[in-house]
Amino acid sequence: MTISVMALLAALCGALATVGLVLAVAGSVGWTPSTGSRRRTRGERRLRAVLGTDRSGARTAWWAARRTRLLAACAAGAGVWLATSWLLGGLLAACAVGGLQWMLNPGQEHAHQIARLEALEEWVRRMSDIHTVGISLEQAVVSSIRTVPGPIAVPVQQMVARLGAGWKPADAYRAFADDLNDSTSDMVVALMLLHVTDRGAGLGRALRELSAAVAEEVLMRRKVEADRAKPKANARWVTIFCLGVFGLSMFSGSYVQPYSTPLGVGVLVALALGFVGLLVWMRRMATMRPTARFLSPLDRTGTATLEDSR
């Protein structure tokens, strides 16, 4: 029994028609996501940054950081397609090259987060020295932009730009916490928010004590990452082996010939999805779940709505 291309297209059209019907029904009854319980996930923030709907300029930075990788993926896909006359092989090769950094560096995101926390600790410590001069917290934030560490330079610059654009300090600080997206950075922003409502003395000493707490958090996270280095290395070697087998098999025409049929295409796509699913599973085993934040975009949006209603 063989599956024809027309049958596959008919199944795809039926699935799309079903999804369209569900969306039409949801729109007709006026269904919208609940704003009271909606929390912006990391994937949604990344998607909004890529699409440019968050108005933070992150889309330009995202494309600038990945332009070379995307061009290399397109070149690899076109090269495999021209060398083997196998379109699906070219598409899979392009996906493999484009996602190579993600596949071979399972702990890269956590390493970047630790580097950000180290930079945050240094920035908070410098802020405590600046604030002892007697200037306000907002002035100290603006003055710190000249010596801000590189990993958090962009979020701090955006916070200073928001303050200069007339944002309320509380909203600018909460947006800064959203940019860092970490529970430890929320502690720093919480102290800044408390100072907005209570302009009492002792902020410099509180910032120094908080920087020491952040330094201890960074040390703890580095120890955890060191313990998880072995499973991450295992996942990396498994990925390299599988990609090597796939790369060698693409140039053996008799081996990949069955995958040129409609049924073979479906099997190959299922195997590719299964491989990606196993990688995701192994990455979750080798990474720690981040601590839930206590500051969120919902809090900032809700505060702004209440102030507007007043």
Side-chain angles (χ1 to χ4, degrees):
M1 180 179 179
T2 60
I3 302 177
S4 63
V5 177
M6 294 301 297
L8 292 175
L9 290 176
L12 178 61
C13 292
L16 293 176
T18 303
V19 173
L21 181 61
V22 172
L23 293 177
V25 173
S28 63
V29 300
W31 177 84
T32 55
S34 175
T35 57
S37 59
R38 185 173 179 268
R39 298 278 178 171
R40 187 176 298 176
T41 61
R42 181 181 303 173
E44 183 183 354
R45 282 190 297 269
R46 186 174 301 174
L47 180 60
R48 289 172 63 89
V50 173
L51 297 178
T53 58
D54 58 351
R55 300 179 181 179
S56 62
R59 179 174 58 177
T60 303
W62 191 93
W63 284 111
R66 293 162 176 82
R67 185 183 298 113
T68 303
R69 196 186 315 166
L70 293 175
L71 292 176
C74 295
V80 171
W81 184 21
L82 293 175
T84 62
S85 300
W86 188 26
L87 177 59
L88 183 59
L91 293 176
L92 292 178
C95 293
V97 173
L100 193 63
Q101 185 176 4
W102 176 82
M103 291 187 288
L104 298 183
N105 297 283
Q108 185 178 17
E109 185 175 353
H110 293 278
H112 289 169
Q113 196 70 20
I114 292 176
R116 276 193 165 191
L117 287 182
E118 283 184 332
L120 181 66
E121 183 270 332
E122 182 180 353
W123 179 72
V124 171
R125 186 161 29 87
R126 292 178 181 177
M127 283 277 294
S128 64
D129 297 334
I130 295 174
H131 190 266
T132 54
V133 180
I135 62 178
S136 65
L137 177 60
E138 290 77 14
Q139 293 173 334
V141 170
V142 175
S143 301
S144 68
I145 197 172
R146 295 189 296 268
T147 59
V148 61
I152 62 171
V154 174
V156 172
Q157 291 170 0
Q158 291 177 348
M159 178 172 56
V160 172
R162 288 162 182 152
L163 290 173
W167 281 41
K168 296 180 179 179
D171 293 338
Y173 298 156
R174 289 185 182 274
F176 176 64
D178 296 339
D179 293 335
L180 295 179
N181 189 30
D182 188 87
S183 58
T184 304
S185 62
D186 283 355
M187 295 191 302
V188 177
V189 176
L191 179 61
M192 299 169 71
L193 292 174
L194 288 176
H195 185 71
V196 171
T197 57
D198 184 6
R199 298 282 180 172
L203 179 62
R205 183 181 63 183
L207 288 173
R208 285 192 296 271
E209 294 176 353
L210 188 56
S211 66
V214 174
E216 293 180 0
E217 176 71 17
V218 170
L219 181 61
M220 183 189 68
R221 293 196 184 189
R222 286 201 176 277
K223 291 181 179 179
V224 173
E225 286 297 310
D227 293 337
R228 297 176 181 269
K230 185 175 180 179
K232 290 178 181 178
N234 293 336
R236 185 178 299 110
W237 281 112
V238 169
T239 303
I240 293 174
F241 176 77
C242 293
L243 291 179
V245 172
F246 172 71
L248 293 176
S249 63
M250 281 194 306
F251 295 95
S252 58
S254 59
Y255 182 80
V256 299
Q257 186 176 3
Y259 294 106
S260 300
T261 62
L263 180 59
V265 169
V267 172
L268 186 59
V269 171
L271 291 175
L273 294 177
F275 175 67
V276 174
L278 288 175
L279 285 181
V280 173
W281 178 54
M282 294 178 68
R283 288 168 68 94
R284 288 184 177 179
M285 292 176 59
T287 56
M288 59 182 180
R289 181 176 299 177
T291 306
R293 295 180 52 197
F294 57 89
L295 295 177
S296 69
L298 179 64
D299 301 328
R300 178 157 53 95
T301 305
T303 303
T305 303
L306 289 176
E307 290 178 355
D308 294 340
S309 64
R310 292 176 184 175

